[in-house]
Amino acid sequence: MRVLVVEDERRMAAALRRGLQAEGFAVDLAHDGHEGLHMARVGEYDVVVLDIMLPRMSGYNVCKQLRAEENWVPVLMLSAKDGEYDMADGLDLGADDYLTKPFSYVVLVARLRALLRRGGGRRPAVLKAGDLSLDPARRIVLRGEVSIELTPREFALLEFLLRRHDEVVSKSEILEHVWDTYDTDPNVVEVYVGYLRRKIDAPFGRNALQTVRGAGYRLASDGG
């Protein structure tokens, strides 16, 4: 899933990006409020991690502006302020969650996954297509009772396709949400789709991951 991190402390921002990438997220960074607001407006993000004390425009105002524009991307606010009124202000302005610094990285990731389940339509805790299931929190993929080992990139690709099951998604959409760069060769998507098919379909005689010629890929909701 694609995450926008808006954090002016560059070392913390870089650490957040490394950690979230290791969990299979695709991560973009912004270092001030104006930049963060612009990126949140034009990008298709699944969740925004938003610091409150930012140059040029506070996180409070970024969140307030997004909600005024009816942009409902889930927002998790980060702040060194731990007062109950500070937290209430953030939530009242439209944030979905609030985490104080210093924070547990394990808790941050768990809260992001909870926001992903709640925001942007139905997001169940375990994603399923027929007898194919993926548990994002426990990092488990099963075909029936058979465990399937995936690399972090394969896991992220399958998670994205399961969240959009029965929809045709283009290579560019997959690159935007599963890879971190926009200039990656689109053919890498085809390569990883092949890797995934050899693990989730071929050994089981299934055809869940389908190519839609000229359009992209679709994961059948019945598991193939």
Side-chain angles (χ1 to χ4, degrees), residues 157 188-199 209 217:
L157 175 58
V188 75
V189 175
E190 186 174 342
V191 171
Y192 272 84
V193 166
Y195 293 159
L196 205 50
R197 280 194 180 116
R198 287 196 285 273
K199 293 184 177 182
L209 184 42
Y217 302 95

Side-chain angles (χ1 to χ4, degrees), residues 122-139:
R122 184 173 177 268
R123 292 181 182 269
V126 176
L127 307 173
K128 293 184 178 181
D131 65 349
L132 177 65
S133 65
L134 178 148
D135 186 332
R138 296 192 297 156
R139 313 292 291 176

Side-chain angles (χ1 to χ4, degrees), residues 1-2 26 44 46 156-157 160-161 164 167-182 186 189 215-218:
M1 297 292 101
R2 192 159 201 88
E44 294 186 5
D46 299 288
L157 175 58
F160 177 68
L161 292 170
R164 300 277 296 273
E167 296 181 28
V168 177
V169 291
S170 66
K171 286 183 179 179
S172 62
E173 286 181 279
I174 293 172
L175 281 175
E176 182 179 352
H177 286 267
V178 179
W179 272 261
D180 287 327
T181 60
Y182 294 93
V189 175
Y217 302 95
R218 175 175 54 218

Side-chain angles (χ1 to χ4, degrees), residues 27-221:
V27 183
D28 290 335
L29 298 181
H31 298 296
D32 66 61
H34 279 178
E35 182 186 18
L37 177 60
H38 171 72
M39 292 176 69
R41 281 169 166 165
V42 302
E44 294 186 5
Y45 293 101
D46 299 288
V47 65
V48 175
V49 178
L50 179 64
D51 189 29
I52 289 179
M53 303 299 291
L54 294 167
R56 301 179 70 196
M57 187 177 193
S58 74
Y60 285 137
N61 287 332
V62 171
C63 187
K64 182 179 180 180
Q65 187 61 39
L66 286 174
R67 298 311 187 226
E69 296 169 5
E70 298 189 351
N71 184 326
W72 306 115
V73 61
V75 172
L76 186 152
M77 279 190 163
L78 296 180
S79 178
K81 298 182 176 182
D82 60 359
E84 59 184 17
Y85 289 105
D86 297 308
M87 184 179 299
D89 286 343
L91 297 174
D92 285 343
L93 287 170
D96 299 274
D97 203 351
Y98 188 106
L99 196 58
T100 58
K101 301 176 182 177
F103 52 82
S104 160
Y105 184 75
V106 172
V107 171
L108 170 66
V109 171
R111 289 192 175 192
L112 287 179
R113 293 205 178 278
L115 290 179
L116 288 170
R117 290 196 296 270
R118 296 203 304 264
R122 184 173 177 268
R123 292 181 182 269
V126 176
L127 307 173
K128 293 184 178 181
D131 65 349
L132 177 65
S133 65
L134 178 148
D135 186 332
R138 296 192 297 156
R139 313 292 291 176
I140 293 173
V141 175
L142 298 173
R143 178 66 96 164
E145 299 298 321
V146 180
S147 178
I148 301 173
E149 294 296 324
L150 299 181
T151 67
R153 188 74 71 187
E154 292 166 352
F155 189 96
L157 175 58
L158 180 58
E159 181 178 356
F160 177 68
L161 292 170
L162 278 167
R163 291 191 185 278
R164 300 277 296 273
H165 64 77
D166 272 347
E167 296 181 28
V168 177
V169 291
S170 66
K171 286 183 179 179
S172 62
E173 286 181 279
I174 293 172
L175 281 175
E176 182 179 352
H177 286 267
V178 179
W179 272 261
D180 287 327
T181 60
Y182 294 93
D183 57 356
T184 300
D185 185 345
N187 289 328
V188 75
V189 175
E190 186 174 342
V191 171
Y192 272 84
V193 166
Y195 293 159
L196 205 50
R197 280 194 180 116
R198 287 196 285 273
K199 293 184 177 182
I200 68 169
D201 279 345
F204 306 94
R206 304 296 184 84
N207 183 34
L209 184 42
Q210 304 163 358
T211 299
V212 180
R213 190 174 297 276
Y217 302 95
R218 175 175 54 218
L219 189 79
S221 61

